[in-house]
């Protein structure tokens, strides 16, 4: 079973776009996902601050700035 993680922050329009795609793919494929606000953790803010949204699949960085639905589906076995 795959898991998608979205690193983002409040007020980020690219994060909102990524969230919509991730919600759709996760729902279609029965994959779990979670969202983490990087502003709640100084380490994450330092690591991902200029790259958000950042998408991980199974803990491995998959995309940043934009989420490609086809690539995400393929990475999740769909």
């Amino acid at each position: 079973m795959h898991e998608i993680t979205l690193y983002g922050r409040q007020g980020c329009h690219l994060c909102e776009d990524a969230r919509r795609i991730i919600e759709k793919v996760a729902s279609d494929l029965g994959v779990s996902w979670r969202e983490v606000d990087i502003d709640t953790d100084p380490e994450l803010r330092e690591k991902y601050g200029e790259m958000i949204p950042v998408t991980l699949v199974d803990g491995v960085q998959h995309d940043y700035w934009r989420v490609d639905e086809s690539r995400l589906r393929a990475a999740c076995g769909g």
Side-chain angles (χ1 to χ4, degrees):
M1 176 65 90
H2 297 285
E3 181 182 60
I4 302 168
T5 304
L6 170 62
Y7 286 114
R9 65 169 37 115
Q10 297 294 318
C12 166
H13 72 280
L14 292 177
C15 299
E16 293 169 12
D17 294 344
R19 185 180 308 110
R20 280 191 288 275
I21 293 169
I22 291 168
E23 285 175 339
K24 181 178 184 218
V25 170
S27 176
D28 289 351
L29 299 179
V31 173
S32 65
W33 78 280
R34 67 188 183 105
E35 186 170 355
V36 178
D37 184 338
I38 65 166
D39 290 328
T40 63
D41 182 323
E43 246 181 71
L44 292 176
R45 188 173 45 245
E46 176 70 26
K47 184 174 183 176
Y48 296 119
E50 299 300 318
M51 297 171 60
I52 62 165
V54 176
T55 308
L56 282 67
V57 175
D58 300 330
V60 177
Q61 187 172 324
H62 177 72
D63 270 326
Y64 64 97
W65 291 334
R66 304 253 186 229
V67 176
D68 181 280
E69 183 176 342
S70 298
R71 253 177 52 81
L72 183 59
R73 283 183 184 279
C76 292

